[in-house]
Amino acid sequence: MTEKFEKPYNPQETEKKIYSLWEESGFFNPDNLPERHKNPFTIIMPPPNANGSLHAGHSLFIALEDLMIRFKRMQGFKALWVPGADHAGFETQVVYEKKLEKEGRSRFKMDPKELYDEIMQFTLDNKSFMEGQIRSLGASCDWSRERFTLEPKIIKTVHETFRQLSSDGLLYRGERLVNWCSKHQTSLSELETDSEEKEDKFYTFQYGPFQIGTTRPETKFGDKYVVMHPNDERYKEYKHGQKIDLEWINGPITAIIIKDEAIDMEFGTGAMTITPWHDATDFEIAKRHNLDYEPVIDFYGKLLPIAGPEFEGKNITVAREEIVKKLDEKGLLIKVEENFKHNVKVCYKCNRPIEPQVKSQWFINMKPLAQKALEAVERGEVKFVTERHERIFKHWMENIHDWNISRQIIWGIPIPAKICDECGEGIVDLDDTITKCSKCGGKVKQDTDTFDTWFSSGQWPFATLNFPEEKDFQEFYPTDVMETGHDIIFFWVARMIMFGIYRTGKVPFKTVYLHGMVRDGRGKKMSKSKGNVINPITISDQYGTDALRMALLVGNAPGTDMNLSEDKIRAYKKFANKLWNITRFVLDNTKDLEEVDLDSEKIKSLRNSKPELLNLEKIISEITEDMENHRFHLASEKIYHYAWHELADKIIESIKETIESTETQLMIFDILQKTLKVLHPFMPFITEEIWSSLPIQNKKLLLIERWPQSL
RNA sequence: GGGCGAUUAGCUCAGUUGGUAGAGCAGCGCAUUUACACUGCGAAGGUCGGGGGUUCAAAUCCCUCAUCGCCCACCA
C-alpha cells in the first residue's frame, strides 16, 4: 500500500493539489479536450453578485452544475461551463451604502465618479475573492472564458439591444408612475417591491356633500377630483364634470366630479378623491379622463409647497396626524376606523413603504417579447424542471407589465441616451454624437441613469458567447441547461428567454433546472442575525468539499427548498472515509494485478459472468438514466447506497475468503474503478485522488475518463 | 381576491411511469482492534394529515375537509 493511503482520508491536503492538477491539464476548456469530445454541452454559470462571499446557495448551484458538466464531459461531450461575475447594480450599491454608513459617509455627498471608482474596486476585490471560493468548491468551469457584466464587450452588446428595442418601437420614454424608494433614491421595477400587510387607521372625511375614505390623509392636499361609479344610485344627481365648491384642508377649493368604473361601489361610501401623482389606480383614472395631476410629496418623503406654509417641508409620517387634527378641528373628520388591514408596497431591500411618483423613465413594451417566449415554451424549445415552474412562468408571462429599466443609481451600465432639456424627449445615442433634440431642436443632456441590472443579466447567455460574431456563439448557443434558483425565475430566467429570442432568434437554453433555497437544518432561513448560516468555505475546510457537495445533492429534489444541517454533511464525510477504506482494502488485496488493462478480454468475460458485475452494470444504467432526467437527488443516493451497503458491506465481506484468486481480485478492482467513475461528478476530489493511485494501463485523469455506461 | 406547494419513522427530508415505504441524525441490543470506531450485525419505530372515490392493487390518480407555507394581484 502506498504511503498516502494512511487513514483517515484528509480532504484539506488533497483538494488544492487536485484542483491544480485539473486546471493545469487544460481540460476545463473544451477546446483542449481529446478527440472523442465532439458534441457540445454548455452551461452558462449564473454569475454570482460580486459584493460578498459565497453562501450556501452558491455551493448548491456549483454542486449541481459541476455535477452535470462532469457527467457530460465523461460521457464524451465537449463540455463548456462559462463562469462569470455580476456587478449586480442596485444590490451591490445597497451593500456598499451600508459600508459607507458604517464609516459615517454617504453616497449623496460623494462625487459620482469617486463613488463609482470605489464601488468598482470593492467589486473587483470581491470578484477575485469569489473566484478562489468557486475553485475551492471544485467547479470545473473554463476560467479562460470568464466574463464580467461590466466589461466593454458586454456593455456593447447590452447597448446594442437597447438601440434595437428603440428602432423596433419596443422602447419608449414615458412619464409613468414608478415605484420610488425614498431611502435608496431610485425607482424600482414591480419585481423589486414586496407587499406587506399593514394595519393602519382608515379615515373618513367630509368632502363637500361627499364622505371620502383614505388611509393617507397626507396626500389629500391637491385632491380636486372626487370620483364615483357611473351606476351608483346614491350619486346620480351629480354629473360627470360638474364643479362643486367646498371647504378643504387649507381653505375653500373647487372640486370636479368624475365618474369612473374603477370605483368599487361596495367599498366605503363609494366615493373617493384621487391623488394621481402618488397612486397607481388614481393615475389610471386621471389618464383616462385627461385630468391634471401634480406632486404633493417630494422624492425624500417631504411635503411640497402645495401643502401650504403650515405643512410644507414636513415629513409625511409626522404630517399625517397633524392634518387629521386640523381637519377634525374644522369639523370635517367623520370617523377613524382603527386596525384597517391593507397591503402596502415596500422596497424589497429596506422594507420602507414605496412612494409612487410620476417620473420620466425608459420602459420596454414587454408583451411582444413575452408572446414569442411563450410560443417557444409551448413548442417545447425550453423545458422546465419542474413542470410546476413552467406553469408559474407562463402565468407571469401572460400577465406581463411594461418594464421600467431606468435606475437612479451610479453603479451600473450607463444608459446611452440623451434627454431633451426643453421637451423631455429621450433619444438613444450609442455613439454619443447627438447634440440637439430630434423632436423640438432643444438642448440635450446625457441621461444620468443606469440600467436595471437585470436588463443586462437578461442578455447573459448570448453576450457571454460573443453574439453575433464569434465562433463560441456558433458552437455553443443555444446552451443546454440553465440552472438557477427558483426565486429568480421572473427576474432572470424569463428575461433571458425573451431577450435571447429577440436578439438571436433562438432560445438561450433548452432546459431550465430550478433549485430551491437552502435553509438550515430546521427549515429556517439562514441569516447572520439568527446565527444559523452555513458558510460553504468553512464547511468544506472542516468536512471536505466532497462531503458538502453530497449533502447538497442527496435527496434534494428540484424546485424544492432543502434543509442543510451539519449532521448531514458529517454523514457524507464519513462516506468519503468509507470510500477511502474500501480503496485501502482493494489495493491491499490486489497486489498480484500490477497494471490492469481495463479493456482486456479477461475483464470483459468477467463482466459477462460475475453476478456482482452484472448487478453493478444494472445500477449504473439506472443512475445514468436518473442523470439524464435531472433526478440527481436519486442518482446520488443510489451510488451512495451502492458503495456503502453493497460494495463495502456485502461484496467485500463475501470475497474475503477468495481474495487470493486473480479472478476475484480483478472483479473487485473493476467494481472499484467503475464506482469511482460514477462517483466522480458527485465527489470529484476524493475520486480523482484515489484514481491517481490505481494501477491502470493508459490511465488518464478521472476528469476525462469514460462514463461507464452500459449498452 | 386568485394561483401553487406541503402534510411520510422522535427530528429534517426522499420516494421517477400506481405494485403493501427509504436516507441522514437521534435512539435500542450485540459484536469487534477489523479495509474502515469517521465500524459491522441485528432489532425497534410509520393504519404515508382526516374523510370519500377509481383500481386486482394508491403515499402515488380523482373529489373534499383541515393545518402550514410560498407566489401573484392597482381596491381608496
Short mmCIF file of all heavy atoms in Angstrom, two decimals, chain B residues 17-21 48 53-61:
data_model
loop_
_atom_site.label_atom_id
_atom_site.label_comp_id
_atom_site.label_asym_id
_atom_site.label_seq_id
_atom_site.Cartn_x
_atom_site.Cartn_y
_atom_site.Cartn_z
P U B 17 -43.44 9.72 -12.55
OP1 U B 17 -43.46 10.67 -13.66
OP2 U B 17 -43.41 10.23 -11.17
"O5'" U B 17 -44.66 8.70 -12.64
"C5'" U B 17 -45.52 8.81 -13.74
"C4'" U B 17 -45.61 7.49 -14.48
"O4'" U B 17 -44.29 7.00 -14.78
"C3'" U B 17 -46.20 6.33 -13.69
"O3'" U B 17 -47.61 6.43 -13.65
"C2'" U B 17 -45.72 5.12 -14.47
"O2'" U B 17 -46.60 4.79 -15.51
"C1'" U B 17 -44.40 5.63 -15.07
N1 U B 17 -43.23 4.89 -14.53
C2 U B 17 -42.70 3.88 -15.31
O2 U B 17 -43.15 3.59 -16.40
N3 U B 17 -41.62 3.22 -14.77
C4 U B 17 -41.03 3.47 -13.55
O4 U B 17 -40.08 2.80 -13.19
C5 U B 17 -41.65 4.53 -12.79
C6 U B 17 -42.70 5.19 -13.30
P G B 18 -48.45 5.42 -12.68
OP1 G B 18 -48.31 4.03 -13.15
OP2 G B 18 -49.77 6.01 -12.51
"O5'" G B 18 -47.70 5.68 -11.30
"C5'" G B 18 -46.96 4.70 -10.69
"C4'" G B 18 -47.74 4.16 -9.48
"O4'" G B 18 -49.15 4.28 -9.72
"C3'" G B 18 -47.49 2.66 -9.32
"O3'" G B 18 -46.41 2.56 -8.39
"C2'" G B 18 -48.82 2.10 -8.79
"O2'" G B 18 -48.79 1.93 -7.38
"C1'" G B 18 -49.81 3.24 -9.06
N9 G B 18 -51.03 2.91 -9.82
C8 G B 18 -51.26 3.08 -11.14
N7 G B 18 -52.48 2.76 -11.50
C5 G B 18 -53.08 2.36 -10.33
C6 G B 18 -54.41 1.92 -10.07
O6 G B 18 -55.33 1.81 -10.86
N1 G B 18 -54.59 1.60 -8.74
C2 G B 18 -53.64 1.71 -7.77
N2 G B 18 -54.00 1.35 -6.55
N3 G B 18 -52.42 2.14 -7.99
C4 G B 18 -52.21 2.44 -9.28
P G B 19 -45.59 1.72 -7.68
OP1 G B 19 -45.23 2.46 -6.48
OP2 G B 19 -44.58 1.33 -8.65
"O5'" G B 19 -46.39 0.42 -7.28
"C5'" G B 19 -46.82 0.23 -5.95
"C4'" G B 19 -47.00 -1.25 -5.66
"O4'" G B 19 -47.87 -1.83 -6.65
"C3'" G B 19 -45.70 -2.05 -5.67
"O3'" G B 19 -45.75 -2.92 -4.57
"C2'" G B 19 -45.74 -2.81 -7.00
"O2'" G B 19 -45.21 -4.10 -6.88
"C1'" G B 19 -47.25 -2.95 -7.24
N9 G B 19 -47.68 -2.96 -8.65
C8 G B 19 -47.10 -2.44 -9.76
N7 G B 19 -47.81 -2.62 -10.85
C5 G B 19 -48.93 -3.34 -10.40
C6 G B 19 -50.05 -3.82 -11.11
O6 G B 19 -50.30 -3.71 -12.29
N1 G B 19 -50.95 -4.46 -10.28
C2 G B 19 -50.78 -4.62 -8.93
N2 G B 19 -51.73 -5.26 -8.29
N3 G B 19 -49.74 -4.16 -8.25
C4 G B 19 -48.86 -3.54 -9.05
P U B 20 -44.69 -3.32 -3.58
OP1 U B 20 -43.61 -2.31 -3.67
OP2 U B 20 -44.39 -4.75 -3.66
"O5'" U B 20 -45.53 -3.04 -2.25
"C5'" U B 20 -46.14 -1.77 -2.03
"C4'" U B 20 -46.90 -1.79 -0.73
"O4'" U B 20 -48.00 -2.72 -0.78
"C3'" U B 20 -46.13 -2.27 0.50
"O3'" U B 20 -45.21 -1.31 0.97
"C2'" U B 20 -47.29 -2.46 1.47
"O2'" U B 20 -47.73 -1.23 1.99
"C1'" U B 20 -48.37 -3.05 0.55
N1 U B 20 -48.47 -4.52 0.70
C2 U B 20 -49.40 -4.99 1.61
O2 U B 20 -50.14 -4.26 2.25
N3 U B 20 -49.45 -6.36 1.75
C4 U B 20 -48.66 -7.27 1.09
O4 U B 20 -48.83 -8.47 1.32
C5 U B 20 -47.71 -6.71 0.16
C6 U B 20 -47.65 -5.38 0.01
P A B 21 -44.15 -1.72 2.07
OP1 A B 21 -44.18 -3.16 2.30
OP2 A B 21 -44.29 -0.84 3.25
"O5'" A B 21 -42.83 -1.37 1.29
"C5'" A B 21 -41.68 -0.90 1.99
"C4'" A B 21 -41.47 0.56 1.64
"O4'" A B 21 -42.69 1.27 1.92
"C3'" A B 21 -40.43 1.23 2.51
"O3'" A B 21 -39.19 1.15 1.85
"C2'" A B 21 -40.87 2.67 2.55
"O2'" A B 21 -40.32 3.43 1.50
"C1'" A B 21 -42.38 2.56 2.34
N9 A B 21 -43.21 2.86 3.52
C8 A B 21 -43.92 1.99 4.29
N7 A B 21 -44.62 2.56 5.24
C5 A B 21 -44.34 3.90 5.08
C6 A B 21 -44.77 5.04 5.75
N6 A B 21 -45.63 5.00 6.77
N1 A B 21 -44.28 6.23 5.35
C2 A B 21 -43.43 6.26 4.33
N3 A B 21 -42.97 5.26 3.60
C4 A B 21 -43.47 4.11 4.03
P C B 48 -51.26 5.30 6.43
OP1 C B 48 -52.54 5.89 6.82
OP2 C B 48 -51.08 4.83 5.07
"O5'" C B 48 -50.08 6.32 6.84
"C5'" C B 48 -50.27 7.73 6.92
"C4'" C B 48 -49.15 8.39 6.15
"O4'" C B 48 -48.26 7.39 5.65
"C3'" C B 48 -49.63 9.22 4.98
"O3'" C B 48 -49.25 10.57 5.26
"C2'" C B 48 -48.87 8.68 3.77
"O2'" C B 48 -48.24 9.71 3.06
"C1'" C B 48 -47.79 7.79 4.39
N1 C B 48 -47.41 6.60 3.64
C2 C B 48 -46.34 6.70 2.76
O2 C B 48 -45.80 7.81 2.62
N3 C B 48 -45.92 5.61 2.10
C4 C B 48 -46.52 4.45 2.29
N4 C B 48 -46.06 3.40 1.64
C5 C B 48 -47.63 4.31 3.18
C6 C B 48 -48.03 5.41 3.82
P G B 53 -65.91 5.14 -0.40
OP1 G B 53 -67.06 4.22 -0.51
OP2 G B 53 -64.68 4.70 0.27
"O5'" G B 53 -65.50 5.65 -1.87
"C5'" G B 53 -66.52 6.08 -2.77
"C4'" G B 53 -65.89 6.66 -4.01
"O4'" G B 53 -64.86 7.60 -3.64
"C3'" G B 53 -65.14 5.67 -4.91
"O3'" G B 53 -66.03 4.93 -5.73
"C2'" G B 53 -64.27 6.62 -5.72
"O2'" G B 53 -65.00 7.28 -6.74
"C1'" G B 53 -63.87 7.64 -4.66
N9 G B 53 -62.54 7.33 -4.08
C8 G B 53 -62.26 6.89 -2.81
N7 G B 53 -60.98 6.70 -2.59
C5 G B 53 -60.39 7.04 -3.81
C6 G B 53 -59.02 7.05 -4.20
O6 G B 53 -58.03 6.74 -3.54
N1 G B 53 -58.87 7.46 -5.52
C2 G B 53 -59.88 7.82 -6.36
N2 G B 53 -59.54 8.18 -7.59
N3 G B 53 -61.16 7.83 -6.00
C4 G B 53 -61.34 7.43 -4.73
P U B 54 -65.60 3.49 -6.25
OP1 U B 54 -66.77 2.89 -6.94
OP2 U B 54 -64.95 2.76 -5.12
"O5'" U B 54 -64.48 3.82 -7.33
"C5'" U B 54 -64.83 4.43 -8.56
"C4'" U B 54 -63.61 4.55 -9.44
"O4'" U B 54 -62.64 5.42 -8.80
"C3'" U B 54 -62.84 3.25 -9.64
"O3'" U B 54 -63.42 2.45 -10.67
"C2'" U B 54 -61.46 3.77 -10.03
"O2'" U B 54 -61.41 4.21 -11.36
"C1'" U B 54 -61.33 4.98 -9.09
N1 U B 54 -60.65 4.64 -7.83
C2 U B 54 -59.26 4.58 -7.83
O2 U B 54 -58.59 4.80 -8.82
N3 U B 54 -58.68 4.26 -6.62
C4 U B 54 -59.33 3.99 -5.45
O4 U B 54 -58.67 3.72 -4.44
C5 U B 54 -60.76 4.06 -5.52
C6 U B 54 -61.36 4.37 -6.68
P U B 55 -63.61 0.91 -10.42
OP1 U B 55 -64.29 0.35 -11.61
OP2 U B 55 -64.21 0.72 -9.08
"O5'" U B 55 -62.13 0.35 -10.37
"C5'" U B 55 -61.29 0.44 -11.52
"C4'" U B 55 -59.90 -0.02 -11.15
"O4'" U B 55 -59.34 0.90 -10.17
"C3'" U B 55 -59.83 -1.37 -10.46
"O3'" U B 55 -59.88 -2.44 -11.38
"C2'" U B 55 -58.48 -1.28 -9.74
"O2'" U B 55 -57.40 -1.53 -10.61
"C1'" U B 55 -58.46 0.20 -9.31
N1 U B 55 -58.91 0.40 -7.91
C2 U B 55 -57.94 0.40 -6.92
O2 U B 55 -56.75 0.26 -7.15
N3 U B 55 -58.40 0.58 -5.64
C4 U B 55 -59.71 0.75 -5.26
O4 U B 55 -59.97 0.90 -4.06
C5 U B 55 -60.65 0.72 -6.33
C6 U B 55 -60.23 0.55 -7.60
P C B 56 -60.70 -3.75 -11.02
OP1 C B 56 -60.70 -4.59 -12.24
OP2 C B 56 -61.97 -3.36 -10.38
"O5'" C B 56 -59.79 -4.47 -9.92
"C5'" C B 56 -60.34 -5.51 -9.12
"C4'" C B 56 -59.23 -6.15 -8.31
"O4'" C B 56 -58.29 -6.78 -9.22
"C3'" C B 56 -58.37 -5.17 -7.53
"O3'" C B 56 -58.96 -4.83 -6.29
"C2'" C B 56 -57.08 -5.96 -7.35
"O2'" C B 56 -57.18 -6.92 -6.32
"C1'" C B 56 -56.97 -6.67 -8.71
N1 C B 56 -56.14 -5.92 -9.68
C2 C B 56 -54.75 -5.92 -9.49
O2 C B 56 -54.26 -6.50 -8.53
N3 C B 56 -53.97 -5.26 -10.38
C4 C B 56 -54.53 -4.63 -11.42
N4 C B 56 -53.73 -4.00 -12.26
C5 C B 56 -55.93 -4.62 -11.61
C6 C B 56 -56.70 -5.28 -10.74
P A B 57 -58.91 -3.33 -5.77
OP1 A B 57 -59.55 -3.27 -4.45
OP2 A B 57 -59.39 -2.47 -6.87
"O5'" A B 57 -57.34 -3.11 -5.58
"C5'" A B 57 -56.66 -3.74 -4.49
"C4'" A B 57 -55.19 -3.45 -4.57
"O4'" A B 57 -54.68 -3.89 -5.84
"C3'" A B 57 -54.82 -1.98 -4.52
"O3'" A B 57 -54.76 -1.53 -3.17
"C2'" A B 57 -53.45 -1.96 -5.19
"O2'" A B 57 -52.43 -2.35 -4.30
"C1'" A B 57 -53.62 -3.04 -6.26
N9 A B 57 -53.95 -2.50 -7.58
C8 A B 57 -55.16 -2.46 -8.20
N7 A B 57 -55.13 -1.92 -9.39
C5 A B 57 -53.80 -1.59 -9.56
C6 A B 57 -53.10 -0.98 -10.63
N6 A B 57 -53.68 -0.59 -11.77
N1 A B 57 -51.77 -0.78 -10.48
C2 A B 57 -51.19 -1.16 -9.34
N3 A B 57 -51.73 -1.75 -8.28
C4 A B 57 -53.06 -1.93 -8.46
P A B 58 -55.13 -0.01 -2.79
OP1 A B 58 -55.08 0.10 -1.32
OP2 A B 58 -56.37 0.33 -3.51
"O5'" A B 58 -53.91 0.83 -3.45
"C5'" A B 58 -52.58 0.79 -2.93
"C4'" A B 58 -52.06 2.21 -2.88
"O4'" A B 58 -52.25 2.80 -4.16
"C3'" A B 58 -52.83 3.04 -1.84
"O3'" A B 58 -52.00 3.52 -0.81
"C2'" A B 58 -53.50 4.16 -2.62
"O2'" A B 58 -53.14 5.41 -2.12
"C1'" A B 58 -52.90 4.05 -4.03
N9 A B 58 -53.89 4.19 -5.11
C8 A B 58 -55.23 3.93 -5.11
N7 A B 58 -55.81 4.18 -6.25
C5 A B 58 -54.79 4.65 -7.06
C6 A B 58 -54.74 5.08 -8.39
N6 A B 58 -55.80 5.12 -9.19
N1 A B 58 -53.55 5.47 -8.88
C2 A B 58 -52.48 5.43 -8.10
N3 A B 58 -52.40 5.03 -6.82
C4 A B 58 -53.60 4.66 -6.37
P A B 59 -50.99 3.34 0.05
OP1 A B 59 -50.01 2.39 -0.49
OP2 A B 59 -51.78 3.01 1.26
"O5'" A B 59 -50.25 4.73 0.29
"C5'" A B 59 -50.91 5.82 0.92
"C4'" A B 59 -50.17 7.10 0.64
"O4'" A B 59 -48.75 6.88 0.84
"C3'" A B 59 -50.29 7.61 -0.79
"O3'" A B 59 -51.42 8.45 -0.93
"C2'" A B 59 -49.01 8.41 -0.97
"O2'" A B 59 -49.12 9.70 -0.41
"C1'" A B 59 -48.02 7.60 -0.12
N9 A B 59 -47.24 6.66 -0.92
C8 A B 59 -47.29 5.28 -0.91
N7 A B 59 -46.47 4.71 -1.75
C5 A B 59 -45.81 5.78 -2.34
C6 A B 59 -44.80 5.84 -3.32
N6 A B 59 -44.26 4.77 -3.88
N1 A B 59 -44.38 7.06 -3.71
C2 A B 59 -44.94 8.14 -3.13
N3 A B 59 -45.89 8.21 -2.20
C4 A B 59 -46.28 6.98 -1.84
P U B 60 -52.26 8.47 -2.27
OP1 U B 60 -53.09 9.68 -2.21
OP2 U B 60 -52.88 7.15 -2.43
"O5'" U B 60 -51.18 8.64 -3.44
"C5'" U B 60 -50.60 9.93 -3.74
"C4'" U B 60 -49.57 9.71 -4.82
"O4'" U B 60 -48.77 8.57 -4.45
"C3'" U B 60 -50.16 9.44 -6.20
"O3'" U B 60 -49.64 10.38 -7.14
"C2'" U B 60 -49.74 8.03 -6.54
"O2'" U B 60 -49.31 7.91 -7.86
"C1'" U B 60 -48.56 7.78 -5.60
N1 U B 60 -48.39 6.40 -5.18
C2 U B 60 -47.35 5.69 -5.75
O2 U B 60 -46.59 6.18 -6.56
N3 U B 60 -47.23 4.39 -5.31
C4 U B 60 -48.02 3.76 -4.40
O4 U B 60 -47.78 2.59 -4.11
C5 U B 60 -49.08 4.55 -3.85
C6 U B 60 -49.23 5.82 -4.25
P C B 61 -50.39 11.71 -7.44
OP1 C B 61 -49.52 12.50 -8.35
OP2 C B 61 -50.89 12.30 -6.20
"O5'" C B 61 -51.64 11.17 -8.28
"C5'" C B 61 -51.56 10.99 -9.69
"C4'" C B 61 -52.92 10.65 -10.23
"O4'" C B 61 -53.25 9.28 -9.89
"C3'" C B 61 -54.07 11.46 -9.61
"O3'" C B 61 -54.21 12.72 -10.23
"C2'" C B 61 -55.25 10.55 -9.88
"O2'" C B 61 -55.69 10.63 -11.21
"C1'" C B 61 -54.63 9.18 -9.62
N1 C B 61 -54.81 8.71 -8.23
C2 C B 61 -56.10 8.32 -7.80
O2 C B 61 -57.04 8.39 -8.60
N3 C B 61 -56.27 7.88 -6.53
C4 C B 61 -55.23 7.82 -5.69
N4 C B 61 -55.45 7.38 -4.46
C5 C B 61 -53.92 8.20 -6.10
C6 C B 61 -53.75 8.64 -7.36
#
